[in-house]
Amino acid sequence: MPARYVYLGPEGTFAEQALRTLPQARRAQLDPAASVPEALDAVRSGEAEAALVPLENSIGGAEGVTLDEIAGGSPLVITREVVLPVNFVLAARVRPRGQSVQAPPVLDEIRTVAAHPNAARQCRGWLRDNLHGATVVEVLSNGAAAVAAADGSYDAAICAPIGATRNKLSVLAEQIADRKDSLTRFALVARPGPPPAPTGDDVTSLAVYISADRVGALLTVLTELAVRGVNMTRIESRPTGERLGRYVFFLDCTGHVAQVRMGEALEGLYRVCAEVKFLGSYPRASHPGEPAAPAARAPEGTGDADFAESAAWLARLRDGVA
Amino acid sequence: MPARYVYLGPEGTFAEQALRTLPQARRAQLDPAASVPEALDAVRSGEAEAALVPLENSIGGAEGVTLDEIAGGSPLVITREVVLPVNFVLAARVRPRGQSVQAPPVLDEIRTVAAHPNAARQCRGWLRDNLHGATVVEVLSNGAAAVAAADGSYDAAICAPIGATRNKLSVLAEQIADRKDSLTRFALVARPGPPPAPTGDDVTSLAVYISADRVGALLTVLTELAVRGVNMTRIESRPTGERLGRYVFFLDCTGHVAQVRMGEALEGLYRVCAEVKFLGSYPRASHPGEPAAPAARAPEGTGDADFAESAAWLARLRDGVA
Amino acid sequence: MPARYVYLGPEGTFAEQALRTLPQARRAQLDPAASVPEALDAVRSGEAEAALVPLENSIGGAEGVTLDEIAGGSPLVITREVVLPVNFVLAARVRPRGQSVQAPPVLDEIRTVAAHPNAARQCRGWLRDNLHGATVVEVLSNGAAAVAAADGSYDAAICAPIGATRNKLSVLAEQIADRKDSLTRFALVARPGPPPAPTGDDVTSLAVYISADRVGALLTVLTELAVRGVNMTRIESRPTGERLGRYVFFLDCTGHVAQVRMGEALEGLYRVCAEVKFLGSYPRASHPGEPAAPAARAPEGTGDADFAESAAWLARLRDGVA
Amino acid sequence: MPARYVYLGPEGTFAEQALRTLPQARRAQLDPAASVPEALDAVRSGEAEAALVPLENSIGGAEGVTLDEIAGGSPLVITREVVLPVNFVLAARVRPRGQSVQAPPVLDEIRTVAAHPNAARQCRGWLRDNLHGATVVEVLSNGAAAVAAADGSYDAAICAPIGATRNKLSVLAEQIADRKDSLTRFALVARPGPPPAPTGDDVTSLAVYISADRVGALLTVLTELAVRGVNMTRIESRPTGERLGRYVFFLDCTGHVAQVRMGEALEGLYRVCAEVKFLGSYPRASHPGEPAAPAARAPEGTGDADFAESAAWLARLRDGVA
């Protein structure tokens, strides 16, 4: 029996497209889930091996639901991330034209376009320039937009390439988002287990709970990281209703739990925070189409060789060998 | 001619309800805007005095669109915040029953419920316990849900109280969200001008841009605040596409730009950050229904009296009076 | 052959008195050295097991020479500290009086007092009140003062109790220093070897070299300590002529090199400093006569139990056991 | 009546030599004081305008007495510093030789050398190489050594050049210290008054008292400085007997009390420390013979222009001009 993976549905969304880029998805059974909570519940209950859910979008920001749901129930960890360029297409049904010819409509014939509000917003400029007279009808997902174009409810859809393929739509225009470099980041979430081996370029995700009742509490957290040369690439504060006066911060850091540097930093956080939830160490995904950002400079003295050297020195001190 | 205010529409959403709590809205013309960008554009162009838009929700988190749109174009500032308890109601049309009696349906009669996906998620428990057999149909806003119940498309709607009133719906159940303490925070956004006078309990909002290419850059930012005893109550990191390797952090801090403490901290941020956008100083809204969180303790020596005393001491030193 | 220990001479100084408080000195040969450099050279060359030299005085401050000489040549470590109350006495020769009676002079008969300048300064108030007419003659050490009183050069001496005993002087007045709580701290310095076992209340001494060419370099050093909850009880900056733009800081910290906390902090210092010289971990001396200072509170989360717990948690994370 | 200045005597020491380098000393009456306390008492009582006393020596370190005495009584401030190369000379009396010729001894004839212990230590190498057979007799000051050579008590003296001149000694060898770059730093200490005008390269000296009962108290102090880009060039911790559990740190910082940057930092220290004593802002002395140390880099964003710009920005914010 093949492993079963779920993803945030419906079929034909970017989440399915992201899941299909993973080697482990090739021989597995892939099923859509109606929502992020449903997807994660399937993992928690053991019905699925793992779930592919959106973490953040370079335009829309963090997916608050995903963060809350990962951190909120029984432990889950991220084992892979997938970063997908948000390639919106305009797709339409191929219709009978004249006697035997089937062809998609030309742009001038399109009066109505189904789109998720986020998609519509991201393609605002293109729509204004190319479909000026058309009405945009907002629907609940990119997948639903494709379905609505396929069943004839609307003339066209803004959707993911996989949504067009899946619904046998013809792609009238590609890359129609106003910002070409927009990305969505997805996480493959599983039940806890030994983390994937370090690759040399890994991410560690954490949910860090701190008491809100003193100035500088977050400063203490960041100091624990900086002192060990651990770079933080992302932070989101979110309210937590569990107890009054508590905040949770979602952090992404550069490095792997197996590293000395990261281990020391995690221990430090554990000591100074109300609670730390480890959300996984996993390989950093290459960002297709994105020019590489300049890597964060490790402060002098916090390279891996520095850590090895300092440990050797300490061992000599303890042995009394000067 | 009355002042004109816009809010994130459609009519009957929580945004309209929030705007109507403000004194300045009483004699003003209030118009819905189709989206946050449209609402802010109306302010930027001078068509509206100010716009009421959602900033964050205690369940769903930050409204990324709002943050981006405030920080993104010509300068805008927040002049008021409104915090509204998210009181979801189940509402239905009053229909003819028998000869002359009009009455709303009882719960058992409801087969379909229109709801925005976030609303449906927040009321999941209540729906399971009270409307087990009903189908939830997702629509694009709480206002749209109310309209769809009013025109008979669905049997009932999950919506804001104002959505029920506006559409002459009967409220079948109140406070149906699973978490009763859920809140939405809105901002009244205007063109730059002298900030409202300090009240003693104010918020200052900032967008802080930092170079991402060194470990601990955010630490530097937080140190500037902590050293002046400025408490940070919220932080969101968001990617910025303007230039590579740059992050923007949205910060909410306790205090007012007119205070010495906050002035020093802002100057410090200005010096160490790539860019700082001031998004306003405004009175902290009371949080109805929320038990007060313990106030952040100012570190010893950072009270207002401490600041006054230290300034007097410095003046004596400079005069050579020991 | 008994072990040989040296101390800062001449005989009869506080250094000899301090050395004699140590158990290991009981069966050893104890020899004065003419200077701190000579004392330490005797250890470096192997002629002596260890040397007892002054580290600091609660009135006069650090003994710069000792610090420089310990840090300056081939490695040496402190293995014990001794803290001695500075009990200055006024002592005089017992002289023949009348036929067969021998008696010390009474205060009124004293015209000249030999004293080391530091001793004279510390007893200024007592001398003014009790020996108003007497002339204080400055000599080069407390031991030399006692010798000069014994050989009749002067009428009396300000010296250590052991100086009086050694020179068969009669003590005319005890505790004559103006501050009764004054202390001198001595170090027993040896060639490197395994440090004494932790006692639960230990001191670790360090010489830390940092580049002087950036603001906040020392801040980095102190952060490495504070993050691990390591308390610093003493700091001295001293110029170093070895290379331009380098400072050396002598630090005393609470804790032992064998502790996890201290080990992490030392490794951190090793990584961020130009050089770190470990000057020993040794039991904190009880301070006779000194009321206990309030112990430094370890910041929350940096107790020993916290360290143990955090290490256990990290081990579970690495094993994938949530 | 000319102004009266005192210096740490006796006549012919480096302190007198240092005082004579100051313009204000030219037409003034210069008198030796027997000790640092006496010198400062003369200033406190109004008997002298100012006192020239040693602050630190690049070999021997801080003059603890001076620091304690400046900080200890009624307020005093440093108005000038003088840095003097420690140019030890070997000097001897010119004696009758043969009938009419008077000549100093040659090195071979010298059997006894008077020297202060610190001087003897600093010239150890030269003495070993050039006066191998001679006996060094320790005396209480460099000035006393010169006097003892002049009166024939010993064959030669190690002293300051001014000590040779004053006692009509002939200089047999110059620059005999083993380290040629050794310096002594003196302070001109006066009663409080408006500080000298900023020169662009000034020093500000402070005595900072902190509670010793928490880890990282000094870290707080240094953070106040670093955040304002204030560089600390020297630190000494000294015990204070006034109250238990209190330390005093003597700090030298780069900058002037009249600067915004320094003013902010001082105010910050005032707020977080138990007590701050301002010991003066005064021009940095050029260090003759010392190769310039690389200047401390101000952290990015803390230059004077940055401070001016940030103040202008804040003023615009407060006026509501974006």
Side-chain angles (χ1 to χ4, degrees):
Chain A
M1 206 181 77
R4 181 170 174 256
Y5 289 81
V6 293
Y7 59 89
L8 176 63
E11 289 188 16
T13 58
F14 285 105
E16 182 187 354
Q17 194 172 328
L19 180 54
R20 290 191 182 277
T21 65
L22 293 179
Q24 55 264 61
R26 274 187 212 141
R27 285 178 307 275
Q29 175 187 342
L30 311 188
D31 293 325
S35 66
V36 171
E38 275 188 34
L40 299 183
D41 282 351
V43 179
R44 284 195 167 100
S45 68
E47 294 163 42
E49 281 302 299
L52 201 286
V53 290
L55 266 187
E56 61 172 331
N57 182 281
S58 66
I59 305 290
E63 291 284 340
V65 180
T66 302
L67 295 176
D68 290 349
E69 294 287 333
I70 293 180
S74 68
L76 291 174
V77 290
I78 300 171
T79 59
R80 286 293 299 264
E81 68 171 6
V82 181
V83 175
L84 215 65
V86 178
N87 175 17
F88 282 116
V89 300
L90 186 79
R93 189 158 61 144
V94 178
R95 291 175 303 180
R97 294 179 82 88
Q99 276 184 294
S100 59
V101 190
Q102 295 216 336
V106 293
L107 291 185
D108 281 354
E109 296 169 320
I110 293 172
R111 296 287 169 266
T112 54
V113 180
H116 184 268
N118 279 351
R121 190 164 69 88
Q122 291 185 45
C123 304
R124 197 155 41 151
W126 189 92
L127 290 169
R128 189 188 53 221
D129 297 343
N130 296 281
L131 281 181
H132 192 257
T135 300
V136 175
V137 181
E138 298 190 338
V139 296
L140 283 157
S141 73
N142 295 316
V147 168
D151 69 17
S153 303
Y154 305 106
D155 295 341
I158 296 177
C159 63
I162 198 176
T165 315
R166 188 61 54 91
N167 291 284
K168 302 194 193 334
L169 300 180
S170 175
V171 171
L172 306 187
E174 277 190 300
Q175 302 274 15
I176 67 172
D178 299 333
R179 292 250 310 263
K180 303 308 176 203
D181 55 356
S182 154
L183 299 167
T184 298
R185 185 172 162 236
F186 297 89
L188 187 66
V189 178
R191 290 178 300 279
T199 64
D201 186 15
D202 302 283
V203 179
T204 293
S205 294
L206 305 169
V208 165
Y209 297 75
I210 63 179
S211 294
D213 65 347
R214 66 184 188 87
V215 169
L218 181 60
L219 193 63
T220 305
V221 167
L222 300 190
T223 301
E224 295 284 345
L225 300 177
V227 160
R228 280 79 178 202
V230 171
N231 190 32
M232 192 190 71
T233 56
R234 185 169 162 247
I235 182 169
E236 306 289 331
S237 72
R238 291 180 61 73
T240 156
E242 296 164 23
R243 261 170 53 189
L244 277 173
R246 267 179 122 203
Y247 277 77
V248 55
F249 294 88
F250 288 90
L251 310 182
D252 283 350
C253 302
T254 302
H256 193 284
V257 63
Q259 288 179 303
V260 173
R261 156 210 318 282
M262 183 62 80
E264 258 196 35
L266 287 172
E267 288 191 68
L269 292 180
Y270 181 89
R271 291 189 298 259
V272 302
C273 297
E275 189 177 357
V276 181
K277 288 185 178 165
F278 174 73
L279 304 182
S281 286
Y282 47 90
R284 175 180 306 284
S286 55
H287 289 205
E290 193 193 45
R297 294 191 303 270
E300 219 182 314
T302 62
D304 287 341
D306 298 304
F307 270 79
E309 244 184 69
S310 67
W313 175 75
L314 179 64
R316 289 195 304 273
L317 290 189
R318 285 177 171 165
D319 289 348
V321 186
Chain B
M1 206 179 78
R4 182 170 175 255
Y5 288 81
V6 294
Y7 58 88
L8 177 64
E11 288 185 17
T13 57
F14 285 105
E16 182 188 354
Q17 193 172 331
L19 180 54
R20 290 189 180 278
T21 66
L22 293 179
Q24 56 262 61
R26 274 186 214 141
R27 286 178 306 273
Q29 173 187 343
L30 310 187
D31 292 324
S35 65
V36 170
E38 275 188 32
L40 298 182
D41 282 351
V43 178
R44 284 196 167 100
S45 67
E47 294 163 43
E49 281 302 299
L52 201 287
V53 290
L55 266 186
E56 61 172 330
N57 182 282
S58 67
I59 305 290
E63 290 284 338
V65 179
T66 301
L67 295 176
D68 290 351
E69 293 287 332
I70 292 180
S74 68
L76 291 175
V77 290
I78 301 172
T79 58
R80 287 292 300 264
E81 68 171 7
V82 181
V83 175
L84 215 65
V86 178
N87 175 16
F88 282 117
V89 300
L90 186 78
R93 189 160 58 145
V94 178
R95 290 174 303 179
R97 295 179 80 85
Q99 274 184 296
S100 57
V101 191
Q102 294 216 339
V106 294
L107 290 185
D108 281 356
E109 296 169 319
I110 292 172
R111 295 285 168 267
T112 54
V113 180
H116 183 269
N118 279 351
R121 189 164 69 88
Q122 292 185 44
C123 303
R124 196 155 42 153
W126 189 92
L127 290 169
R128 188 188 53 223
D129 297 344
N130 295 282
L131 283 181
H132 193 258
T135 300
V136 174
V137 182
E138 297 190 338
V139 295
L140 283 157
S141 74
N142 296 314
V147 168
D151 68 16
S153 302
Y154 305 106
D155 295 342
I158 297 178
C159 62
I162 198 175
T165 314
R166 188 61 52 94
N167 291 283
K168 302 192 195 331
L169 302 178
S170 175
V171 171
L172 308 186
E174 278 191 300
Q175 302 275 15
I176 68 173
D178 300 334
R179 292 247 310 261
K180 302 309 175 202
D181 55 356
S182 156
L183 299 168
T184 298
R185 184 173 163 236
F186 297 88
L188 186 68
V189 178
R191 291 179 299 280
T199 63
D201 186 16
D202 302 283
V203 179
T204 292
S205 293
L206 304 169
V208 164
Y209 296 75
I210 63 180
S211 295
D213 65 348
R214 65 184 188 85
V215 167
L218 182 60
L219 193 62
T220 305
V221 167
L222 300 190
T223 301
E224 296 283 345
L225 299 178
V227 160
R228 279 81 177 202
V230 171
N231 190 31
M232 193 189 72
T233 56
R234 185 169 160 248
I235 182 169
E236 306 290 331
S237 72
R238 291 180 59 75
T240 156
E242 297 163 23
R243 262 170 52 189
L244 277 173
R246 266 179 125 204
Y247 277 78
V248 54
F249 293 88
F250 288 90
L251 310 183
D252 282 349
C253 302
T254 302
H256 193 285
V257 64
Q259 288 180 302
V260 173
R261 156 212 316 286
M262 183 63 79
E264 258 197 34
L266 287 172
E267 287 192 68
L269 292 179
Y270 182 89
R271 291 190 297 260
V272 302
C273 297
E275 189 177 356
V276 181
K277 288 185 178 165
F278 173 73
L279 304 182
S281 286
Y282 47 90
R284 177 181 305 286
S286 57
H287 288 204
E290 192 192 46
R297 291 191 303 272
E300 220 182 314
T302 62
D304 288 341
D306 298 305
F307 269 78
E309 246 185 67
S310 67
W313 174 74
L314 178 64
R316 289 196 303 274
L317 290 188
R318 285 177 171 166
D319 288 348
V321 187
Chain C
M1 206 180 76
R4 182 172 174 255
Y5 289 81
V6 294
Y7 58 90
L8 177 63
E11 288 187 18
T13 58
F14 284 106
E16 182 187 355
Q17 193 173 329
L19 180 53
R20 290 190 181 278
T21 66
L22 294 179
Q24 55 264 61
R26 273 185 215 143
R27 285 178 307 273
Q29 174 187 343
L30 310 187
D31 292 324
S35 65
V36 171
E38 275 189 33
L40 298 182
D41 282 351
V43 179
R44 284 196 167 99
S45 68
E47 292 163 44
E49 280 304 298
L52 201 288
V53 290
L55 266 187
E56 60 171 331
N57 182 281
S58 66
I59 305 289
E63 291 284 340
V65 179
T66 302
L67 295 176
D68 290 349
E69 294 286 333
I70 292 180
S74 68
L76 290 176
V77 290
I78 300 172
T79 59
R80 287 293 298 264
E81 68 170 5
V82 181
V83 175
L84 215 64
V86 178
N87 175 16
F88 282 115
V89 301
L90 185 79
R93 190 160 57 144
V94 177
R95 289 174 303 179
R97 295 179 81 87
Q99 274 182 294
S100 58
V101 190
Q102 293 218 337
V106 294
L107 290 185
D108 280 354
E109 296 170 319
I110 292 172
R111 296 286 169 264
T112 55
V113 180
H116 183 268
N118 278 351
R121 189 163 70 87
Q122 292 186 43
C123 303
R124 198 157 39 151
W126 189 91
L127 289 169
R128 188 188 52 223
D129 297 344
N130 296 281
L131 282 180
H132 192 259
T135 300
V136 174
V137 182
E138 298 190 337
V139 296
L140 283 156
S141 73
N142 295 315
V147 168
D151 68 16
S153 303
Y154 305 107
D155 294 343
I158 297 177
C159 63
I162 198 176
T165 315
R166 188 61 53 93
N167 292 284
K168 302 192 196 332
L169 300 179
S170 176
V171 171
L172 307 187
E174 278 191 298
Q175 302 274 17
I176 67 173
D178 299 334
R179 293 248 311 262
K180 303 308 175 204
D181 55 356
S182 155
L183 299 167
T184 298
R185 185 172 162 236
F186 297 89
L188 187 67
V189 178
R191 290 178 299 280
T199 64
D201 187 15
D202 303 282
V203 179
T204 293
S205 294
L206 305 169
V208 165
Y209 297 75
I210 63 178
S211 295
D213 65 347
R214 65 183 188 86
V215 168
L218 181 61
L219 193 63
T220 305
V221 166
L222 299 190
T223 302
E224 296 284 345
L225 300 177
V227 160
R228 281 80 178 201
V230 171
N231 190 32
M232 193 189 71
T233 56
R234 185 169 163 248
I235 182 169
E236 307 288 332
S237 72
R238 290 180 60 74
T240 157
E242 297 164 23
R243 262 169 53 188
L244 277 173
R246 268 179 124 204
Y247 277 78
V248 55
F249 294 88
F250 288 89
L251 310 182
D252 282 351
C253 302
T254 302
H256 193 285
V257 63
Q259 288 179 302
V260 173
R261 156 210 317 283
M262 182 63 79
E264 259 197 34
L266 287 171
E267 288 191 67
L269 292 180
Y270 181 89
R271 292 190 298 259
V272 301
C273 297
E275 189 177 357
V276 181
K277 288 185 180 166
F278 174 72
L279 303 182
S281 286
Y282 47 90
R284 175 180 306 284
S286 56
H287 288 204
E290 193 193 45
R297 294 192 302 271
E300 219 182 315
T302 62
D304 287 341
D306 298 304
F307 269 80
E309 246 185 67
S310 66
W313 174 75
L314 179 63
R316 290 196 302 273
L317 290 188
R318 285 177 170 165
D319 289 348
V321 186
Chain D
M1 208 180 79
R4 181 168 174 257
Y5 289 81
V6 294
Y7 58 89
L8 177 64
E11 289 186 16
T13 57
F14 285 105
E16 182 187 354
Q17 193 172 329
L19 180 54
R20 291 190 180 277
T21 66
L22 294 179
Q24 55 262 62
R26 272 185 214 143
R27 285 177 307 274
Q29 174 187 341
L30 311 187
D31 292 325
S35 66
V36 170
E38 275 189 31
L40 298 182
D41 282 352
V43 179
R44 284 195 167 100
S45 68
E47 294 163 42
E49 281 303 299
L52 201 287
V53 291
L55 266 187
E56 61 172 329
N57 182 282
S58 67
I59 305 291
E63 290 284 339
V65 179
T66 301
L67 295 176
D68 290 350
E69 294 286 333
I70 292 180
S74 67
L76 290 175
V77 290
I78 301 172
T79 58
R80 286 292 301 264
E81 68 171 7
V82 181
V83 175
L84 215 65
V86 178
N87 176 16
F88 282 117
V89 300
L90 186 78
R93 190 160 58 146
V94 178
R95 289 174 304 180
R97 294 179 80 88
Q99 275 185 295
S100 59
V101 190
Q102 294 216 337
V106 294
L107 291 185
D108 280 356
E109 296 169 319
I110 292 171
R111 295 287 168 266
T112 54
V113 180
H116 183 268
N118 279 352
R121 189 164 70 87
Q122 291 186 44
C123 303
R124 196 156 43 153
W126 189 91
L127 290 170
R128 189 189 53 224
D129 297 343
N130 296 282
L131 282 182
H132 193 259
T135 300
V136 174
V137 181
E138 299 190 340
V139 295
L140 284 157
S141 73
N142 296 314
V147 168
D151 69 16
S153 303
Y154 305 107
D155 295 342
I158 297 177
C159 62
I162 198 175
T165 313
R166 187 62 52 93
N167 291 282
K168 301 192 194 332
L169 301 180
S170 175
V171 170
L172 307 186
E174 277 190 300
Q175 302 274 16
I176 67 173
D178 300 334
R179 292 248 312 262
K180 303 309 175 203
D181 55 356
S182 155
L183 299 167
T184 297
R185 185 174 162 236
F186 297 89
L188 187 67
V189 178
R191 291 179 299 280
T199 64
D201 187 14
D202 303 282
V203 179
T204 293
S205 294
L206 304 169
V208 164
Y209 297 75
I210 63 179
S211 294
D213 65 347
R214 65 185 189 86
V215 168
L218 182 59
L219 193 61
T220 304
V221 167
L222 299 190
T223 301
E224 295 284 345
L225 300 178
V227 160
R228 279 80 178 203
V230 171
N231 191 31
M232 193 190 72
T233 57
R234 185 168 161 248
I235 182 170
E236 306 289 330
S237 73
R238 291 178 61 73
T240 156
E242 296 163 24
R243 263 170 52 189
L244 277 174
R246 267 178 123 203
Y247 277 78
V248 55
F249 293 88
F250 288 90
L251 310 182
D252 283 350
C253 302
T254 302
H256 193 284
V257 64
Q259 288 180 302
V260 173
R261 157 211 316 284
M262 183 63 79
E264 259 197 33
L266 287 172
E267 288 191 66
L269 293 180
Y270 182 88
R271 290 190 298 261
V272 302
C273 297
E275 189 177 357
V276 181
K277 288 185 179 166
F278 174 73
L279 304 182
S281 286
Y282 46 89
R284 176 181 305 285
S286 56
H287 289 204
E290 192 193 46
R297 291 192 303 271
E300 219 182 314
T302 63
D304 288 340
D306 298 305
F307 269 79
E309 244 184 70
S310 67
W313 175 75
L314 178 64
R316 288 196 303 274
L317 290 188
R318 286 177 170 166
D319 289 347
V321 187

